[in-house]
Amino acid sequence: MLRVAVVGSGPSGCYTAQSLVQLDSDVRVDVLDRLPCPYGLVRYGVAPDHEKIKSLQNNLRAVLEHDRVRFLGGVQAGPGGVTVPRLRQLYHAVVYCLGAATDRRLGIPGEDLPGSWSATQFVAWYSAHPDAVDAGFLRDTRSAVVVGVGNVAVDVTRMLARGPAELTPTDMPQAALTTLVDSRVTEIHMVGRRGPSQARFTTKELRELGTLPETDVVVDPAELALDPGYTDPSALPAPQRRNVEVLRGWARTPPKGAPRRIHLRFFLRPAELIAERGHVGAARFERTAPDGHGGVTGTGRHEVIEGQLVLRSVGYRGVPLEDLPFDPVTGTVPNLSGRVLREGAVAPGEYVAGWIKRGPTGVIGTNRPCAKETATSLLEDAPALAAKTVPADPLPVLRTEGVDPVEWAGWLSIERAEAALGASLGRGVVKLPDRQSLLEAARAGIR
């Protein structure tokens, strides 16, 4: 019997476990996660109002309920937990599905001012991530600036514009709900350094902005026309062409005078965040222009946009795990078809899948073929891996070393506690807001 540890219970981890048990009936998989809860970014990254995408949890649940898959939550891999060398001693193989845990920075003056945050930090707060902080994101905020034109940027823009009728049915924590409902934000600027035909949002996400109650979407036809692909979209790929068609519709529709406005801006590159009484008060952008090669060049002209909240959403980046090789240029673990490479040579029994393998690209479904490739590589190596002596069951060994995992029964107890909390508030399921309450709920249900 081959014992495999999969580190990370998001889509890439679950799909890796699924591929392993589907492709080989003699494999047992422990899915480890540092959080007490499974599902990774499906639970803590998908916007609360996107119920259809969040329903992917049901597919991941089926994987974690498989009789040869075991969920072990609250288990830290690396320093302060189970180290990389120790995992290799306990399992025949280890697959690291660590994602890309940090945001890219803008690298401009004023980026560290109070009121300047990554979009991930904002998402973690309204999604009740156990590591999130209530940083008073919207305190005294009238205008917000979102730097980036991808789907995450659209998500945070939309959440800033949502009203109580749309937010209350979601599973967001009560404190975040109250803050967003009481928000006085009336102006939201979503800003990209390139043109509309190069934006990374999907058309479905873009269109949603136009359906928000009491919200106008404002675009500048002259600014859009700076993009040759907007002027003549015939040569664009279908997804970009559809985006341009949506923007054309908004450009022809005058604002209705709604109480909230979303401004979609293009060809503006962030240059500086400007302080006002020790807090961010505005962002200065340089106007860019197409360079004829798919990029942009600066024009030397600048524009200042007011914003007491600035959220950057310009991409993600993997972070190194101690004792695991890491390429600082790509933000990934060097690998060959999922096999970890140490100094250019395959490291027996070590594998990667997901964003830490290929970089932060693709959608949730992209993780399926990526995971299957890694699982196939691992199973090709299985005869040699199985020759290593490991514990018959690593869990008792982990417990003797002070590790106390949240198993599947504990997670089900958390689900019941979140349903009860929602009922007590007159809502549906409401997420528990911190690690301690999650752990208490997990233990309470299995005593």
Side-chain angles (χ1 to χ4, degrees), residues 49-50 150-151 154-155 158 162 190 201-213 215-217 238-250 262 264:
D49 60 340
H50 275 180
N151 278 347
V154 175
D155 280 348
R158 192 179 65 255
R162 283 285 192 202
M190 190 170 74
F201 42 61
T202 58
T203 307
K204 180 179 181 295
E205 293 262 0
L206 179 64
R207 283 188 179 126
E208 278 188 275
L209 297 179
T211 67
L212 298 174
T215 303
D216 281 333
V217 178
Q240 284 76 21
R241 191 166 62 249
R242 287 192 291 267
N243 286 343
V244 165
E245 289 168 358
V246 173
L247 292 167
R248 281 182 181 279
W250 287 335
I262 294 172
L264 300 184

Side-chain angles (χ1 to χ4, degrees), residues 202-344:
T202 58
T203 307
K204 180 179 181 295
E205 293 262 0
L206 179 64
R207 283 188 179 126
E208 278 188 275
L209 297 179
T211 67
L212 298 174
E214 300 187 308
T215 303
D216 281 333
V217 178
V218 181
V219 295
D220 181 350
E223 189 172 73
L224 298 174
L226 297 172
D227 184 350
Y230 179 85
T231 305
D232 179 12
S234 59
L236 293 176
Q240 284 76 21
R241 191 166 62 249
R242 287 192 291 267
N243 286 343
V244 165
E245 289 168 358
V246 173
L247 292 167
R248 281 182 181 279
W250 287 335
R252 292 192 295 264
T253 306
K256 303 184 184 74
R260 285 187 297 270
R261 287 168 297 279
I262 294 172
H263 304 263
L264 300 184
R265 305 295 310 276
F266 299 95
F267 293 113
L268 292 172
R269 179 165 59 198
E272 177 188 12
L273 300 188
I274 302 169
E276 183 178 299
R277 294 189 296 274
H279 191 278
V280 67
R284 185 167 65 90
F285 293 87
E286 181 184 15
R287 169 66 66 189
T288 62
D291 64 4
H293 305 287
V296 293
T297 185
T299 65
R301 293 181 286 117
H302 290 81
E303 178 177 338
V304 174
I305 299 177
E306 179 190 353
Q308 298 78 37
L309 172 68
V310 176
L311 300 173
R312 67 178 185 274
S313 180
V314 292
Y316 298 98
R317 182 173 176 80
V319 296
L321 179 64
E322 188 173 297
D323 293 316
L324 198 65
F326 185 75
D327 183 341
V329 176
T330 62
T332 61
V333 171
N335 71 92
L336 179 64
S337 299
R339 297 178 176 93
V340 171
L341 298 176
R342 290 184 180 270
E343 299 180 352

Side-chain angles (χ1 to χ4, degrees), residues 83-298:
T83 65
V84 167
R86 187 59 175 143
L87 284 169
R88 286 289 294 114
Q89 292 170 348
L90 295 174
Y91 293 90
H92 292 110
V94 184
V95 186
Y96 296 93
C97 303
L98 305 173
T102 190
D103 292 76
R104 294 185 182 276
R105 292 177 60 82
L106 300 174
I108 60 174
E111 187 170 8
D112 294 320
L113 281 169
S116 168
W117 301 92
S118 72
T120 294
Q121 290 169 306
F122 188 61
V123 170
W125 166 69
Y126 67 60
S127 298
H129 192 289
D131 295 338
V133 294
D134 186 349
F137 289 103
L138 302 182
R139 190 176 299 126
D140 299 322
T141 299
R142 305 175 303 278
S143 179
V145 178
V146 180
V147 181
V149 284
N151 278 347
V152 174
V154 175
D155 280 348
V156 297
T157 296
R158 192 179 65 255
M159 296 306 292
L160 285 166
R162 283 285 192 202
E166 303 97 62
L167 293 175
T168 301
T170 72
D171 62 2
M172 70 167 48
Q174 188 65 27
L177 172 66
T178 301
T179 299
L180 286 166
V181 166
D182 293 342
S183 164
R184 292 184 293 170
V185 173
T186 58
E187 305 285 337
I188 308 161
H189 306 263
M190 190 170 74
V191 187
R193 65 184 176 88
R194 297 195 294 177
S197 71
Q198 297 167 312
R200 294 182 176 273
F201 42 61
T202 58
T203 307
K204 180 179 181 295
E205 293 262 0
L206 179 64
R207 283 188 179 126
E208 278 188 275
L209 297 179
T211 67
L212 298 174
E214 300 187 308
T215 303
D216 281 333
V217 178
V218 181
V219 295
D220 181 350
E223 189 172 73
L224 298 174
L226 297 172
D227 184 350
Y230 179 85
T231 305
D232 179 12
S234 59
L236 293 176
Q240 284 76 21
R241 191 166 62 249
R242 287 192 291 267
N243 286 343
V244 165
E245 289 168 358
V246 173
L247 292 167
R248 281 182 181 279
W250 287 335
R252 292 192 295 264
T253 306
K256 303 184 184 74
R260 285 187 297 270
R261 287 168 297 279
I262 294 172
H263 304 263
L264 300 184
R265 305 295 310 276
F266 299 95
F267 293 113
L268 292 172
R269 179 165 59 198
E272 177 188 12
L273 300 188
I274 302 169
E276 183 178 299
R277 294 189 296 274
H279 191 278
V280 67
R284 185 167 65 90
F285 293 87
E286 181 184 15
R287 169 66 66 189
T288 62
D291 64 4
H293 305 287
V296 293
T297 185

